[in-house]
């Protein structure tokens, strides 16, 4: 089996973005969307092309498809976490929606547009689910009045976090059709098309594994593939470098703050010791002058308390 990094962009385009594999794209879409949005047939609006693939943006690839009912789908694969992902996701959804309308056409011709964003990073930190669905609803009642907008996020690293994961642990997570395809997208290296256990033994997954098994590169595709791998390695190394630099800077700042705090505490302690000596001298003088011992002790502690309060307050 040809082992390609399971988040390689070329894998997506060669498997889901060509005419002969439209059934695989259809299966991925139907595994992601609700029952009301299931599709029977899709038309590829931007089929895979090796020439355009090489000039594509390295971190983001998409497959646009049109269903038999006119609904539009944008299946996007984003390899790295870039700034303002949420804004860009809405922008491209809006473009997918508005591009339907031609000159002199009525708004009634607009059909639902669904974005399916497969992310190789964690974007939604407030929710442990790897698949999230977003729609516009009324805030208090949850009424889904504007039904043409729908965005799905599939965060691969939430589904498969452990690089040492085995097939048995992977199978325990398979509950839905989307789980099956996410298992393929993340851990296809654990799957054997000739020996798929339940519930993975479905025709479309076997075909996807066969396509991957027999995947051949032209010279142009191999150059594009190697360019993408080179870029991914540089990107990963850059992220790791910045992470280590941030950790080092944090440690240095922490040590500096610790030294400054130590100096401040030392100064306060010195002031307190000085005031304590001063209070003792005053107390001795009061005893010598004939003040009662109880009164001297009380005044000593009152003076010391007030001195400490003003030292630490300042």
């Amino acid at each position: 089996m040809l082992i390609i990094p399971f988040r390689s962009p070329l894998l997506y385009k060669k498997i889901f973005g060509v005419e002969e594999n439209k059934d695989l794209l259809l299966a991925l879409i139907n595994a992601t969307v609700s029952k009301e949005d299931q599709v029977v047939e899709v038309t590829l609006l931007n089929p895979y092309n090796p020439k355009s693939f090489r000039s594509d943006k390295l971190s983001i690839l998409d497959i646009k498809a049109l269903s038999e009912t006119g609904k539009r789908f944008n299946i996007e694969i984003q390899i790295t976490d870039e700034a303002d992902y949420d804004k860009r996701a809405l922008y491209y959804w809006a473009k997918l929606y508005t591009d339907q309308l031609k000159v002199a056409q009525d708004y009634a011709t607009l059909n639902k547009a669904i974005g399916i964003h497969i992310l190789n990073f964690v974007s939604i930190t407030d929710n442990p689910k790897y698949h999230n669905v977003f729609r516009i609803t009324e805030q208090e009642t949850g009424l889904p009045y504007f039904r043409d907008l729908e965005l799905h996020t599939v965060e691969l690293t939430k589904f498969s976090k452990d690089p040492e994961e085995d097939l048995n642990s992977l199978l325990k997570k398979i509950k839905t059709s989307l789980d099956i395809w996410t298992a393929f997208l993340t851990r296809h290296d654990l799957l054997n098309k000739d020996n798929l256990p339940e519930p993975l033994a479905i025709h479309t997954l076997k075909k996807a594994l066969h396509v991957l098994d027999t995947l051949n590169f032209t010279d142009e595709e191999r150059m594009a593939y190697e360019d993408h791998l080179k870029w991914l390695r540089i990107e990963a190394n850059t992220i790791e470098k910045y992470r280590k630099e941030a950790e080092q800077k944090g440690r240095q700042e922490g040590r500096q703050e610790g030294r400054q705090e130590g100096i401040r505490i030392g100064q306060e302690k010195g002031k307190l010791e000085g005031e304590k000596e001063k209070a003792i001298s005053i107390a001795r003088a009061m005893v010598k002058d004939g003040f009662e011992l109880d009164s001297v002790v009380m005044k000593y502690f009152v003076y010391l308390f007030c001195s400490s309060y003003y030292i630490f307050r300042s």
Side-chain angles (χ1 to χ4, degrees):
M1 182 180 200
L2 176 62
I3 299 299
I4 295 178
F6 53 76
R7 292 172 184 119
S8 165
L10 187 57
L11 180 151
Y12 294 106
K13 281 285 189 177
K14 291 273 286 186
I15 293 180
F16 297 106
V18 295
E19 286 292 327
E20 59 267 31
N21 295 334
K22 285 198 304 183
D23 56 332
L24 303 182
L25 177 63
L26 190 146
L28 177 62
I29 291 173
N30 284 339
T32 308
V33 301
S34 63
K35 289 182 179 180
E36 66 185 27
D37 293 317
Q38 297 289 296
V39 296
V40 176
E41 180 59 44
V42 291
T43 301
L44 288 169
L45 300 178
N46 62 336
Y48 168 68
N49 184 315
K51 294 182 180 179
S52 63
F53 177 82
R54 190 162 190 206
S55 61
D56 279 345
K57 184 173 173 57
L58 293 177
S59 61
I60 302 168
L61 292 167
D62 64 350
I63 299 170
K64 294 182 175 66
L66 178 69
S67 77
E68 77 281 359
T69 60
K71 292 178 182 177
R72 297 203 171 211
F73 297 88
N74 183 36
I75 302 88
E76 179 180 296
I77 298 93
Q78 183 158 336
I79 305 300
T80 59
D81 187 2
E82 298 189 354
D84 300 319
Y85 157 71
D86 54 339
K87 297 181 185 300
R88 193 184 58 75
L90 285 174
Y91 173 81
Y92 282 107
W93 173 87
K95 187 170 175 55
L96 183 70
Y97 190 64
T98 57
D99 280 353
Q100 300 178 61
L101 203 62
K102 306 304 179 185
V103 176
Q105 283 188 322
D106 191 82
Y107 291 121
T109 62
L110 290 170
N111 288 290
K112 186 173 184 177
I114 300 175
I116 299 174
H117 295 184
I118 300 171
L119 309 177
N120 186 32
F121 55 89
V122 173
S123 178
I124 304 165
T125 56
D126 299 331
N127 192 336
K129 294 197 311 174
Y130 81 89
H131 177 215
N132 289 281
V133 185
F134 298 94
R135 301 184 179 102
I136 295 179
T137 60
E138 201 284 321
Q139 183 172 334
E140 293 184 3
T141 64
L143 178 69
Y145 181 71
F146 299 97
R147 298 178 183 273
D148 279 0
L149 166 62
E150 185 168 303
L151 285 172
H152 295 253
T153 58
V154 179
E155 298 167 287
L156 298 179
T157 52
K158 282 184 178 179
F159 182 84
S160 180
K161 302 175 184 177
D162 183 8
E164 304 300 323
E165 184 176 34
D166 59 20
L167 181 58
N168 288 331
S169 61
L170 183 68
L171 289 174
K172 291 177 182 178
K173 295 188 287 189
I174 307 299
K175 302 289 190 301
T176 67
S177 297
L178 183 57
D179 293 341
I180 294 174
W181 285 105
T182 308
F184 169 73
L185 294 173
T186 56
R187 297 312 309 267
H188 69 79
D189 56 305
L190 297 177
L191 307 179
N192 183 342
K193 71 179 188 302
D194 298 320
N195 188 27
L196 282 175
E198 293 293 341
L200 297 176
I202 60 174
H203 170 71
T204 47
L205 181 58
K206 288 180 181 179
K207 178 179 177 179
L209 289 167
H210 174 74
V211 171
L212 190 60
D213 227 357
T214 57
L215 197 60
N216 293 314
F217 290 154
T218 64
D219 290 341
E220 192 170 20
E221 287 173 332
R222 185 166 295 281
M223 288 176 65
Y225 171 63
E226 290 173 353
D227 286 346
H228 277 70
L229 284 188
K230 185 186 300 182
W231 180 85
L232 286 171
R233 291 189 190 103
I234 293 172
E235 185 77 4
N237 290 336
T238 301
I239 292 172
E240 181 65 14
K241 176 184 175 183
Y242 284 132
R243 184 187 67 80
K244 288 181 178 178
E245 288 178 352
E247 287 181 354
Q248 180 66 21
K249 184 178 179 182
R251 284 194 293 268
Q252 290 175 349
E253 291 177 351
R255 285 195 292 267
Q256 180 64 24
E257 289 176 1
R259 284 195 292 269
Q260 292 175 350
E261 182 68 10
I263 292 170
R264 184 185 68 80
I265 292 173
Q267 291 172 339
E268 291 173 351
K269 187 176 180 180
K271 289 180 183 179
L272 186 57
E273 288 295 327
E275 292 297 331
K276 185 177 179 181
E277 290 296 327
K278 186 176 179 181
I280 291 173
S281 298
I282 294 172
R284 285 173 178 166
M286 290 176 68
V287 171
K288 188 175 180 179
D289 289 341
F291 283 86
E292 292 183 3
L293 186 60
D294 289 345
S295 176
V296 172
V297 172
M298 179 63 72
K299 285 181 171 58
Y300 168 78
F301 282 111
V302 169
Y303 178 84
L304 196 60
F305 172 78
C306 292
S307 299
S308 302
Y309 174 78
Y310 284 111
I311 288 172
F312 287 108
R313 188 181 181 190
S314 62

